[in-house]
């Protein structure tokens, strides 16, 4: 990696990867106990609420993450104004969504899941502080991100263990999601204030910059909306056809493959994105070399994840989960190959951001969503949770690999890079 990436890039990746490995270790220890304490039905309810609210995530985040990082790299003197404007844009969006959700559940329709919806919505408010991460990522100060996330992780895992030992309900564990974001944001704030990076009292919203950021991020908002719908389709169909128990089973598979595994690849790509953006701006030959190197690393990691769960998936479920989660064995063997495909798509998306071709992100996810809906409708009634896993895997392949070869310009760029 260091042959094309600098020592600073390597250090940034090291901190991100170390954070994910620690999360992996603690996740193996505590999360199966939470799943067993709550049972498949309550876990299914929590994941269903997260999936429904996840449909609003593009409006919570406004597609600003990658755009702001890129703009800070390209225009470092405007960093503070970019962050302030992004923060106020996201705050306004959160207020509008929170008011809408509150009115819906307390005035229009009552639901037994209302408290979960409100708690998870509040967690997005505390997530506003991740605008600080835009700056830290652009500056490659990933050690601060590591300190923040690991400090929060220690506190949250301790509270989760307390909840497991005292058999506390699903609302308690939902509140810990919000607390996690609050702790991280507070640590970012105090560290940046101590380092005197910003004068927070002077943060002002810029209408001109705000319009510019939204214009640049609009394709990402649309594609992110499609992604969240794409991700949530399976939970919605499982809920409709099979109920909360099936969602609880699928949540187990997603936890093992996504939360514990492909987040490592996601963190590596995010940590190295600033380096990719810099090279794209200054040195096209070095940019191509970095893309190729990162592609090889992601393929190897994806293969290792697939092999790991193929060989040891059943043993992991038998060891760490109760018998009620035994149904997860077959879908896990299918879904464990998704990271290999997803990593390629993540890298492709970063390239689209650099080249200002984000409209292609919209096209590929429209196609992916269409296939996922059709496949879920056809396969879930027949093969249940395994049908959902097949639908997701096939639609991932179409979105992240087949589209690249179908699009003439992307195909030419692929040939030129490799």
């Amino acid at each position: 990696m260091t042959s094309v990436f600098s020592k600073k890039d390597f250090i940034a990746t090291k901190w991100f990867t170390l954070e994910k490995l620690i999360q992996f270790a603690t996740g193996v220890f505590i999360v199966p106990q939470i799943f067993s304490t709550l049972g498949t039905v309550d876990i299914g309810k929590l994941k269903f609420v997260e999936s429904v609210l996840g449909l609003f995530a593009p409006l919570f985040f406004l597609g600003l993450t990658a755009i702001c990082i890129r703009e800070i790299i390209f225009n470092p003197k405007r960093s503070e104004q970019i962050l302030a404007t992004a923060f106020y844009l996201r705050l306004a969006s959160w207020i509008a969504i929170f008011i809408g959700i509150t009115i819906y559940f307390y005035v229009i329709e009552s639901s037994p899941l209302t408290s979960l919806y409100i708690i998870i919505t509040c967690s997005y408010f505390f997530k506003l502080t991740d605008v600080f991460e835009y700056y830290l990522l652009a500056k490659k100060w990933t050690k601060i991100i590591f300190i923040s996330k690991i400090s929060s992780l220690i506190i949250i895992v301790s509270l989760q263990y307390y909840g497991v030992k005292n058999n506390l309900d699903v609302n308690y564990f939902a509140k810990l999601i919000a607390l996690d974001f609050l702790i991280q944001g507070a640590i970012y704030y105090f560290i940046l204030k101590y380092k005197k990076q910003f004068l927070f009292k002077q943060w002002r919203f810029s209408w001109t910059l705000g319009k510019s950021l939204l214009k640049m991020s609009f394709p990402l908002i649309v594609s992110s909306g499609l992604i969240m719908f794409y991700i949530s389709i399976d939970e919605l169909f499982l809920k409709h056809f099979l109920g909360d128990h099936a969602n609880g089973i699928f949540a187990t598979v997603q936890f093992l493959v996504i939360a514990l595994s492909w987040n490592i690849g996601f963190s590596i790509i995010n940590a190295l994105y600033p380096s990719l953006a810099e090279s794209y701006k200054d040195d096209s030959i070095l940019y191509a070399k970095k893309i190729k190197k990162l592609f090889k690393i992601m393929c190897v990691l994806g293969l290792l994840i697939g092999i790991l769960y193929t060989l040891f998936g059943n043993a992991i479920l038998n060891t760490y989960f109760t018998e009620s989660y035994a149904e997860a064995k077959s879908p896990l063997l299918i879904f464990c190959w998704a990271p290999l495909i997803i990593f390629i798509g993540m890298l492709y998306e970063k390239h689209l951001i650099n080249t200002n071709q984000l409209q292609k992100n919209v096209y590929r996810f429209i196609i992916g969503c269409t296939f996922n809906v059709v496949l879920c409708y056809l396969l879930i009634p027949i093969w249940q949770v395994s049908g959902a896993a097949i639908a997701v895997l096939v639609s991932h392949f179409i979105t992240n690999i087949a589209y690249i070869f179908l699009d003439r310009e992307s195909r030419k760029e692929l040939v030129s890079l490799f």
Side-chain angles (χ1 to χ4, degrees), residues 138-401:
K139 295 296 183 181
K140 302 179 185 178
W141 293 352
T142 50
K143 184 176 181 179
I144 295 177
I145 298 175
F146 172 81
I147 292 170
S148 173
K149 291 185 180 296
I150 296 305
S151 299
S152 178
L153 181 66
I154 293 170
I155 296 170
I156 296 302
V157 168
S158 301
L159 293 173
Q160 286 175 336
Y161 185 74
Y162 174 82
V164 166
K165 290 302 178 183
N166 291 276
N167 292 311
L168 298 180
D169 64 7
V170 68
N171 283 353
Y172 172 83
F173 292 98
K175 290 173 184 175
L176 293 183
I177 297 174
L179 181 62
D180 187 18
F181 296 147
L182 173 61
I183 295 170
Q184 288 180 39
I187 294 173
Y188 288 148
Y189 174 80
F190 287 114
I191 289 178
L192 290 173
K193 188 175 181 180
Y194 173 77
K195 292 175 74 68
K196 298 181 180 179
Q197 291 300 307
F198 304 119
L199 296 173
F200 292 105
K201 292 181 179 180
Q202 296 181 13
W203 272 31
R204 297 290 183 270
F205 179 78
S206 168
W207 285 101
T208 303
L209 180 58
K211 291 176 184 177
S212 177
L213 288 175
L214 286 177
K215 183 178 180 180
M216 288 186 287
S217 68
F218 183 73
L220 276 178
I221 297 174
V222 176
S223 61
S224 295
L226 291 169
I227 291 169
M228 295 314 301
F229 177 64
Y230 179 26
I231 293 172
S232 303
I233 288 168
D234 310 278
E235 283 86 347
L236 297 174
F237 272 99
L238 286 170
K239 173 81 170 179
H240 175 73
F241 285 118
L242 304 171
D244 291 320
H245 170 73
N247 264 331
I249 296 298
F250 197 55
T252 310
V253 175
Q254 290 178 314
F255 162 71
L256 290 171
V257 177
I258 299 176
L260 289 188
S261 305
W262 89 25
N263 268 346
I264 296 174
F266 178 75
S267 67
I268 292 173
I269 292 173
N270 274 353
L272 293 177
Y273 172 67
S275 178
L276 289 177
E278 290 170 355
S279 297
Y280 179 78
K281 181 184 177 184
D282 302 325
D283 188 338
S284 60
I285 295 175
L286 182 59
Y287 176 74
K289 289 181 179 179
K290 287 182 177 180
I291 287 284
K292 285 190 282 188
K293 191 70 173 180
L294 197 49
F295 174 80
K296 292 176 183 178
I297 293 169
M298 291 300 101
C299 285
V300 171
L301 181 59
L303 284 170
L304 289 175
I305 292 171
I307 293 170
L308 169 69
Y309 286 117
T310 298
L311 296 177
F312 303 107
N314 288 353
I316 291 170
L317 287 168
N318 290 335
T319 303
Y320 294 103
F321 293 86
T322 61
E323 184 62 29
S324 61
Y325 289 93
E327 295 172 48
K329 292 178 180 178
S330 294
L332 178 60
L333 289 175
I334 299 166
F335 193 63
C336 68
W337 294 101
L340 176 61
I341 301 169
I342 288 291
F343 292 156
I344 296 171
M346 288 178 181
L347 192 55
Y348 178 59
E349 181 180 74
K350 298 303 184 187
H351 176 67
L352 293 180
I353 292 170
N354 288 334
T355 56
N356 274 320
Q357 300 181 80
L358 285 171
Q359 72 279 1
K360 293 183 180 180
N361 233 26
V362 177
Y363 304 151
R364 70 190 185 106
F365 281 108
I366 288 175
I367 296 170
C369 282
T370 303
F371 272 92
N372 204 11
V373 168
V374 173
L375 290 173
C376 282
Y377 181 78
L378 294 175
L379 299 181
I380 289 177
I382 301 172
W383 289 309
Q384 301 182 348
V385 182
S386 292
I390 294 170
V392 177
L393 190 64
V394 173
S395 58
H396 278 333
F397 177 82
I398 292 166
T399 303
N400 297 297
I401 296 179

Side-chain angles (χ1 to χ4, degrees), residues 87-103:
F87 177 83
Y88 286 119
L89 284 172
R90 286 184 52 187
L91 176 61
S93 181
W94 179 86
I95 291 171
I97 295 170
F98 180 75
I99 291 172
I101 289 173
T102 303
I103 291 173

